[in-house]
Amino acid sequence: MKRVPTIGRLALPVAAAMSLIVGGAFAADAAKGPHPDVAKGKMQAGGPSPVQEADLVQTINPKSPPMTKAEFEIGKKIYFERCAGCHGVLRKGATGKPLTTDITLDRGSEYLRTFIAYGSPGGMPNWGTSGTLSEQEVDIMTRYVQHEPPTPPEFGIKEMEASWKVMVPPEKRPTKQLNKLDLANLFSVTLRDAGKIALIDGASKKIVDIIETGYAVHISRMSKSGRYLFVIGRDARIVMIDLWMEKPAPVAEIKVGLEARSVETSKYKGYEDKYAIAGTYWPPQYVIMQGDTLKPLKVVGTRGMTSDTHEYHPEPRVAAIVSSHHKPEFLVNAKETGVVHMVNYTDLENLKVTMIKTPRFLHDGGMEASGRYFMDAANASDKIAVIDTKESKLAAVVEVGKTPHPGRGANFVHPKFGPVWATGHLGDETVSLIGTDPKKHPKQAWKVVQTLKAAGGGQLFLKTHPKSKNLWVDAPLNPEPGISQAIAVFDIDNLDKGFELLPIGEWAGVKPGAKRVVQPEYNKAGDEVWFSVWSGAGEESAIVVVDDKTRKLKAVIKDPRLITPTGKFNVYNTQNDVY
């Protein structure tokens, strides 16, 4: 496989440009008929692009390769579905490298075409060779990124209120659980391209229900009480599901922007279930809502100066949000500025926000085992910022591997160094173990105490459980099928032994497809691990359940409705930050 260097390392002169308002004309032209590959089902299903209904501004560069209006609309749709999450709506980069026209025009079409088709070891998916994009779509994207990016409109509280629906008011909801489901061991499974979630019973492995949510579902989060399930998609639509109803169903929903990734609820004592918060990629802001109705209450923008060079940034997207257990606060990651907003929700009218300076490009992360310190991945800076939620300050910055992507991370007790928190990496094959006990193990605290070698780069998630002796590490974005279709598992008591590679994709027994193995998730008891075998929207996918103690196949969940399953969220573990 041909390897190509990373985009974006050179600073080049910005090409001259002229602006033209086009959005509606593009949409009208595209409406004349579907792209041939759309008709074949190759493009992502699950509803419209987060921005396709909005009128956009296209800036046309005279040096850009020609595109028809229909081709530009197709490129816009693919970009916002597949690329914006890493490279940014304005293409200024974060997890992914910048794709501004000063860079892309200099690189040229042949370079870009190879990069898009084959991907890179640093985590860029192989869109062409994986079959996700056709040859024609790769060509369209090659030209699209050499045009100036269109700018979506703003989205304020007026627009949010226009989308807000309460299907079942709080006073008409049950006062106790009406169904017989074991809610603590229920799984909310993201069906990414279908725009739905599957509720699956942890014991029987049967699908309880399929619930429509929003385009490209991203995560599920639980209220502190364990009653309400909040689901957010990349279209910034939040659906609130009441698990106490006779048949769990949505009771409220809202659209908080044009593109989003994160939602969370208040967990501090006395504020359980009182508020919800969501952050958006576009516009760059976050909104605090009523916890039982999703009524928008307060919107805060994140545009501002970067933490290192103090330059203004127009698109500090909101990535991970976590809820503090030590104060009535949310911790909000402003990705591009490198600032964590510690938002005190005791007085929304006179909102107090503590701004914590960290390395830039904040993405994901989770709490260490005690729940005091937020381990926050500044992934494009190759660092983990340690935020003390009790003292409201930066405790440390830890150098790790290339482009850390921990998800929530993994907590366990190292046989030699005591409590540690682990992160994998998109950009290399390592797993970094960071000491997290400044009281009993001060010499190891906030240092990488051990670096493990896993199967390869392209890691997204790793997981363990307080009752487990295994550490599971995926690599779904690795370009080698033998790695992306398997899982690496380490014995925590014998880490020097290295990993065992289990062929989860093969165990699934599904028809040929991408079969990327992604996101280990434990059941409540901690004795089995669930893996998504994630193929394309038109291919067969599955969920594979493995016995944690024996590492043997326990069950395979197949169903035609399991379209592109990715994240899985056990109710108890999500509710109680068990990871």
Side-chain angles (χ1 to χ4, degrees):
M1 181 179 294
K2 183 177 180 180
R3 301 298 187 196
V4 291
T6 303
I7 285 180
R9 292 181 179 169
L10 300 179
L12 303 167
V14 178
M18 57 183 178
S19 295
L20 179 65
I21 305 295
V22 293
F26 277 10
D29 194 80
K32 293 177 181 178
H35 184 268
D37 287 314
V38 176
K40 295 176 185 176
K42 291 184 178 181
M43 291 184 66
Q44 179 174 319
S49 163
V51 298
Q52 86 165 14
E53 294 179 0
D55 286 341
L56 302 180
V57 178
Q58 181 200 4
T59 303
I60 298 178
N61 192 311
K63 295 183 180 180
S64 303
M67 296 187 76
T68 66
K69 293 178 179 180
E71 286 175 333
F72 190 90
E73 185 68 15
I74 292 165
K76 183 184 73 176
K77 176 178 172 62
I78 293 173
Y79 183 82
F80 282 104
E81 289 180 349
R82 302 289 188 183
C83 316
C86 286
H87 297 287
V89 170
L90 302 181
R91 303 215 301 259
K92 293 183 180 293
T95 306
K97 296 294 182 179
L99 294 176
T100 48
T101 53
D102 57 324
I103 296 168
T104 57
L105 285 169
D106 178 77
R107 293 298 194 188
S109 293
E110 288 308 311
Y111 173 91
L112 294 168
R113 184 176 290 106
T114 301
F115 192 77
I116 294 168
Y118 289 94
S120 78
M124 170 74 172
N126 52 327
W127 297 115
T129 58
S130 69
T132 304
L133 298 182
S134 69
E135 185 176 343
Q136 186 175 0
E137 288 166 343
V138 169
D139 177 67
I140 286 174
M141 295 311 297
T142 297
R143 289 178 285 140
Y144 177 82
V145 296
Q146 295 179 74
H147 285 255
E148 299 296 328
T151 303
E154 301 298 318
F155 201 95
I157 204 162
K158 178 181 178 181
E159 288 78 13
M160 295 180 198
E161 288 177 337
S163 72
W164 175 47
K165 301 176 184 177
V166 178
M167 290 79 88
V168 184
E171 64 272 15
K172 294 186 178 181
R173 297 174 195 165
T175 56
K176 63 180 181 179
Q177 183 180 340
L178 299 183
N179 57 65
K180 296 182 180 180
L181 296 171
D182 180 6
L183 295 183
N185 201 31
L186 191 69
F187 287 76
S188 175
V189 179
T190 296
L191 305 180
R192 186 189 183 281
D193 290 359
K196 303 175 182 179
I197 63 161
L199 294 180
I200 302 181
D201 177 66
S204 68
K205 314 295 187 292
K206 294 185 181 298
I207 296 176
V208 173
D209 199 9
I210 302 288
I211 298 175
E212 291 194 14
T213 50
Y215 156 82
V217 181
H218 195 65
I219 61 169
S220 298
R221 289 289 181 260
M222 289 303 307
S223 66
K224 179 61 178 177
S225 67
R227 173 177 183 171
Y228 292 115
L229 174 68
F230 296 80
V231 180
I232 190 166
R234 293 193 178 195
D235 59 353
R237 178 186 174 195
I238 304 170
V239 175
M240 178 180 175
I241 299 166
D242 187 353
L243 298 180
W244 280 13
M245 297 178 72
E246 187 173 355
K247 182 179 180 181
V251 292
E253 69 173 60
I254 190 172
K255 187 174 173 63
V256 294
L258 297 177
E259 187 178 4
R261 296 294 187 278
S262 52
V263 66
E264 182 59 286
T265 65
S266 53
K267 295 182 178 179
Y268 188 69
K269 187 176 181 180
Y271 290 89
E272 299 93 335
D273 295 20
K274 185 175 178 63
Y275 296 116
I277 184 173
T280 47
Y281 270 25
W282 191 271
Q285 61 193 31
Y286 51 92
V287 56
I288 300 174
M289 301 160 283
Q290 284 183 349
D292 59 354
T293 66
L294 297 181
K295 179 182 180 180
L297 303 173
K298 189 78 172 183
V299 181
V300 181
T302 58
R303 292 181 175 99
M305 312 309 283
T306 60
S307 62
D308 49 4
T309 59
H310 301 283
E311 296 174 276
Y312 177 76
H313 200 290
E315 192 190 354
R317 299 171 293 167
V318 175
I321 300 176
V322 298
S323 189
S324 173
H325 299 276
H326 289 274
K327 290 183 178 180
E329 291 181 337
F330 296 117
L331 283 80
V332 179
N333 276 352
K335 183 190 287 275
E336 279 73 17
T337 51
V339 176
V340 177
H341 295 227
M342 300 188 76
V343 184
N344 188 299
Y345 47 74
T346 56
D347 183 358
L348 299 188
E349 288 300 314
N350 303 285
L351 194 68
K352 295 179 180 179
V353 181
T354 302
M355 313 287 278
I356 307 295
K357 175 183 174 182
T358 76
R360 291 179 64 191
F361 309 112
L362 299 167
H363 188 63
D364 53 354
M367 297 293 186
E368 47 71 51
S370 76
R372 173 172 174 172
Y373 298 93
F374 176 37
M375 311 295 290
D376 199 357
N379 52 22
S381 297
D382 305 333
K383 295 178 174 68
I384 300 294
V386 182
I387 311 295
D388 186 342
T389 64
K390 188 174 182 180
E391 299 294 334
S392 299
K393 65 180 184 181
L394 179 69
V397 174
V398 186
E399 296 267 359
V400 291
K402 182 66 177 174
T403 319
H405 193 289
R408 290 294 185 101
N411 290 298
F412 61 92
V413 178
H414 192 285
K416 182 178 180 181
F417 301 114
V420 298
W421 178 89
T423 180
H425 301 89
L426 276 166
D428 65 37
E429 61 192 4
T430 67
V431 174
S432 297
L433 309 184
I434 300 171
T436 59
D437 185 1
K439 290 186 176 180
K440 295 182 179 179
H441 298 81
K443 292 183 179 180
Q444 286 78 38
W446 319 134
K447 297 177 183 177
V448 175
V449 297
Q450 187 173 0
T451 300
L452 307 177
K453 182 179 179 181
Q459 302 167 29
L460 287 181
F461 304 103
L462 74 175
K463 192 65 67 77
T464 188
H465 188 277
K467 296 180 180 178
S468 174
K469 290 297 182 181
N470 288 321
L471 174 65
W472 305 85
V473 184
D474 71 17
L477 297 187
N478 193 282
E480 301 297 335
I483 296 175
S484 66
Q485 297 179 5
I487 195 80
V489 55
F490 293 86
D491 180 351
I492 289 173
D493 289 336
N494 192 6
L495 293 168
D496 293 333
K497 181 182 177 182
F499 63 86
E500 180 183 4
L501 196 64
L502 302 182
I504 302 297
E506 179 183 324
W507 289 356
V510 296
K511 296 174 183 177
K515 294 189 287 190
R516 298 183 182 95
V517 175
V518 65
Q519 209 252 351
E521 175 72 342
Y522 276 85
N523 62 345
K524 179 189 175 184
D527 59 7
E528 61 186 33
V529 195
W530 293 36
F531 302 93
S532 295
V533 178
W534 169 29
S535 289
E539 300 169 336
E540 187 179 23
S541 294
I543 294 170
V544 170
V545 182
V546 175
D547 185 288
D548 181 69
K549 186 175 182 180
T550 66
R551 301 182 181 177
K552 302 296 184 183
L553 177 64
K554 190 170 184 178
V556 177
I557 304 172
K558 291 183 183 180
D559 191 289
R561 297 173 293 173
L562 291 180
I563 298 170
T564 57
T566 52
K568 300 163 298 303
F569 303 89
N570 174 269
V571 165
Y572 180 86
N573 293 338
T574 305
Q575 173 191 358
N576 294 284
D577 291 331
V578 177
Y579 39 79

